[in-house]
Amino acid sequence: MKIRQTTNEEIFDLLICDALAAKWDNELEELKKDSGVHSFSASVESNIKKMTRTISMNCAFKGAGKTMLKTLILVLIFMGVLFGGLLSQPEVYAAVGNVIRNVFATHDSYTYQSNDGKTDFDNTKKFGYIPDGYELRSAFYSDYNVSLTYESTDERYIYFDYGLAENSMLSIDNERHNYTELNYDGTTYYFYESTEEDFSTLIWYDDGYYYSIDAQLDKDTLIRTAQNIG
Amino acid sequence: MLGFCLALIDEPNDKEKFVEIYNTYKEIMFRKALSILHNEAVAEEAVQESFLKIAKNISKVSAVKSSRTAAFVIIIVRNTALNCLKSEHINDTEIIAYETVDVSRDTLKEVFSELGFNYLVNEITSLDPIYSDILSLKLIHQYSVSEICDILDIPVKTAESRLYRGKRILAKRLEDYYNENKTDNQ
């Protein structure tokens, strides 16, 4: 019943709308029949001109506002595109030998371009120097890389990874680590020191292989470990 | 997305619209005001005040030379002239319990006939302009109640009251017409 009442009212509104349109047509026809032209007084004409000037000023302000808004939109879009483009691009592009280091907002990535002629993979490498208290706990071997895990007596770990460099890639968090580039005996080491007493990372490339050590060790111990791999 | 944003902020020139409205309708508006006020000086003032209201609502006006815009300017000048007279037609402060204006389906069917529609046009023409004007602004120009209040410078309750009363008066007259015709045909 209520739905029917609502529909009836809507139909009624439509009929009234049509009837009003017809009424206005008739009324305007009657008004147009009246003859004679009225000359408005000077004050009315003057006030109308003032209103016109006010509207003109408002239009000018609106126009200026529109132009500024359009400019602002264009600038914002340009900045958005630029910013988006910057986010997708490495902040720094660096290449040292075969190693290409790219820096992004949240991580650094390392890409290795060749093995320097190496084709046979040597999976016998291990630490020549093991920090006190650590022992080899597990080893994982594949055709192109090795992962070794060392554990200490107080349950701390060293993760040692290495493999043939060509077409390999590593990613390291750079938000919670301080980065330093180190050079010892002609080898460039990339050191990521943890800022939260977590794992620090040392990465380097040598003679066709990439190497990576993750451990809760200081820089000097990591370097010493890295320099004694055999 | 860029095109959408830019399209939102493009509008025709309001100043040109206003000048065209003035040149097109000033005579008609004066005659309408004069027919109510019977005084040329007061009628001019009413026309001037009407153009002030039109200037405030110029952005709502679309095509200048259209029946819709003509009706709009006449409504404004008529209400301005009536305000100059300071006449009160009804007690607008009366609080009404608004309900759906109920018109029977049989009555509506009767209005769909040519005779019935002509009767409706006549009844709307004879309806007090304070009702027909507000119905025009609501149903033809699709203004909201608050926009109507701004244009006619009346309170919200007054606008709602006039809308409801206008439709109720028309509904009552149409029901009477239908019942008369039904009796005649029996």
Side-chain angles (χ1 to χ4, degrees):
Chain A
M1 193 61 187
K2 197 168 179 182
I3 293 173
R4 189 177 178 144
Q5 267 186 338
T6 307
T7 309
N8 283 353
E9 189 175 9
E10 285 170 3
I11 295 172
F12 190 39
D13 282 352
L14 289 170
L15 288 168
I16 294 175
C17 194
D18 280 348
L20 281 166
K23 168 227 182 240
W24 280 112
D25 286 341
N26 296 336
E27 187 166 340
L28 289 166
E29 281 303 314
E30 287 300 317
L31 281 169
K32 284 175 189 171
K33 280 179 189 172
D34 289 347
S35 60
V37 176
H38 176 73
S39 294
F40 285 89
S41 64
S43 67
V44 170
E45 294 285 355
S46 167
N47 288 333
I48 294 293
K49 280 181 185 162
K50 283 180 193 169
M51 286 181 216
T52 310
R53 274 199 295 274
T54 304
I55 291 174
S56 179
M57 278 171 57
N58 289 341
C59 273
F61 282 129
K62 271 189 209 173
K66 280 181 220 170
T67 304
M68 283 177 63
L69 184 58
K70 282 183 189 178
T71 307
L72 180 64
I73 288 172
L74 285 171
V75 167
L76 286 173
I77 289 171
F78 175 73
M79 285 176 66
V81 169
L82 187 65
F83 186 66
L86 286 173
L87 276 180
S88 67
Q89 295 299 316
E91 186 182 312
V92 169
Y93 176 90
V96 177
N98 287 322
V99 183
I100 300 171
R101 175 173 170 260
N102 291 315
V103 178
F104 295 91
T106 57
H107 65 279
D108 293 356
S109 78
Y110 290 83
T111 309
Y112 301 91
Q113 292 181 307
S114 82
N115 298 331
D116 283 337
K118 290 283 184 296
T119 52
D120 295 326
F121 178 50
D122 177 7
N123 63 3
T124 64
K125 296 176 186 286
K126 51 173 69 72
F127 282 165
Y129 163 76
I130 302 174
D132 290 339
Y134 283 87
E135 287 182 343
L136 180 63
R137 274 286 173 262
S138 65
F140 172 80
Y141 297 93
S142 75
D143 290 340
Y144 301 104
N145 67 338
V146 172
S147 292
L148 304 176
T149 303
Y150 296 80
E151 186 180 356
S152 71
T153 51
D154 57 351
E155 294 182 353
R156 289 175 161 236
Y157 294 89
I158 302 173
Y159 299 102
F160 174 47
D161 294 320
Y162 74 91
L164 283 174
E166 189 174 16
N167 298 324
S168 295
M169 195 177 84
L170 298 175
S171 288
I172 314 295
D173 166 78
N174 60 15
E175 290 184 293
R176 288 170 290 274
H177 292 80
N178 291 328
Y179 165 76
T180 313
E181 190 174 301
L182 308 166
N183 287 282
Y184 294 94
D185 300 326
T187 302
T188 302
Y189 297 88
Y190 306 97
F191 176 52
Y192 290 81
E193 185 176 18
S194 171
T195 58
E196 297 175 355
E197 296 185 355
D198 201 356
F199 283 82
S200 296
T201 303
L202 190 70
I203 297 173
W204 72 100
Y205 169 87
D206 185 27
D207 196 24
Y209 287 81
Y210 73 84
Y211 298 91
S212 165
I213 301 176
D214 294 293
Q216 289 162 295
L217 297 170
D218 59 76
K219 182 189 74 175
D220 291 335
T221 307
L222 281 169
I223 292 294
R224 186 180 172 188
T225 308
Q227 288 179 316
N228 289 278
I229 290 174
Chain B
M1 183 181 166
L2 171 62
F4 175 72
C5 290
L6 292 178
L8 279 178
I9 50 177
D10 274 326
E11 290 173 11
N13 191 321
D14 288 345
K15 176 193 162 188
E16 287 163 3
K17 246 195 294 183
F18 181 76
V19 171
E20 196 178 351
I21 289 173
Y22 176 71
N23 291 331
T24 307
Y25 296 110
K26 61 180 178 180
E27 288 296 333
I28 292 177
M29 289 169 74
F30 176 76
R31 281 185 228 127
K32 175 53 71 176
L34 190 62
S35 70
I36 295 171
L37 297 165
H38 307 293
N39 181 304
E40 283 196 0
V42 183
E44 276 197 358
E45 277 184 29
V47 169
Q48 181 178 283
E49 199 173 320
S50 300
F51 273 107
L52 196 56
K53 287 184 185 174
I54 291 170
K56 287 178 185 171
N57 292 282
I58 192 69
S59 57
K60 297 187 178 96
V61 176
S62 48
V64 172
K65 290 181 180 172
S66 66
S67 303
R68 189 178 149 125
T69 301
F72 180 66
V73 301
I74 296 297
I75 287 170
I76 289 188
V77 75
R78 174 157 51 211
N79 279 272
T80 307
L82 289 173
N83 287 340
C84 289
L85 279 182
K86 292 187 176 34
S87 60
E88 285 293 330
H89 294 264
I90 56 168
N91 178 7
D92 284 330
T93 58
E94 179 190 345
I95 295 170
I96 295 172
Y98 298 119
E99 299 168 355
T100 306
V101 174
D102 191 19
V103 184
S104 69
R105 187 57 68 91
D106 291 332
T107 305
L108 290 174
K109 280 182 191 171
E110 188 64 34
V111 179
F112 275 117
S113 70
E114 189 175 343
L115 276 176
F117 184 73
N118 287 340
Y119 181 80
L120 178 60
V121 174
N122 289 336
E123 289 303 320
I124 281 180
T125 305
S126 65
L127 193 66
D128 193 318
I130 63 169
Y131 301 123
S132 61
D133 285 352
I134 209 164
L135 284 169
S136 297
L137 289 174
K138 182 75 177 142
L139 298 177
I140 296 180
H141 294 85
Q142 301 282 304
Y143 287 125
S144 67
V145 171
S146 60
E147 286 173 325
I148 291 171
C149 293
D150 285 340
I151 291 167
L152 299 180
D153 199 18
I154 56 176
V156 171
K157 283 289 180 201
T158 303
E160 289 175 346
S161 167
R162 288 182 185 178
L163 273 169
Y164 176 74
R165 283 180 198 274
K167 284 168 76 172
R168 201 173 65 174
I169 291 169
L170 285 173
K172 176 76 172 56
R173 292 182 186 175
L174 284 174
E175 290 285 0
D176 292 342
Y177 172 76
Y178 168 69
N179 290 330
E180 277 176 25
N181 275 5
K182 194 168 72 172
T183 308
D184 289 346
N185 290 337
Q186 279 173 352

